[in-house]
Amino acid sequence: MVKINGESFDAIGISIAKYLSDAGYDIKRVAVELNGDILAKSQYENTILCDGDSVEVVSFVGGG
């Protein structure tokens, strides 16, 4: 299982980019932390989720 934003998901074997797309995130407006390290957007497509990974996805919201 993969823990994403504190919830367990069966997302083993998919890329960060695929997860974000499937979950409805706008890749341009998020930051991703994988196992305690910030992941560069250029790595989203090639980073495959593994059993035990911990992911935090933070969305940026505009406003004023």
Side-chain angles (χ1 to χ4, degrees):
M1 295 301 273
V2 177
K3 189 166 275 197
I4 302 174
N5 291 345
E7 295 185 41
S8 294
F9 290 90
D10 184 14
I12 298 167
I14 67 168
S15 70
I16 294 286
K18 172 115 174 81
Y19 169 76
L20 293 172
S21 176
D22 290 352
Y25 287 102
D26 179 353
I27 290 177
K28 296 176 186 175
R29 300 185 61 81
V30 298
V32 175
E33 180 183 285
L34 176 63
N35 299 324
D37 295 319
I38 299 296
L39 195 61
K41 290 185 187 315
S42 62
Q43 296 178 314
Y44 290 2
E45 195 68 43
N46 298 320
T47 301
I48 305 301
L49 294 169
C50 299
D51 190 27
D53 279 345
S54 178
V55 178
E56 292 292 326
V57 180
V58 179
S59 295
F60 300 108
V61 179

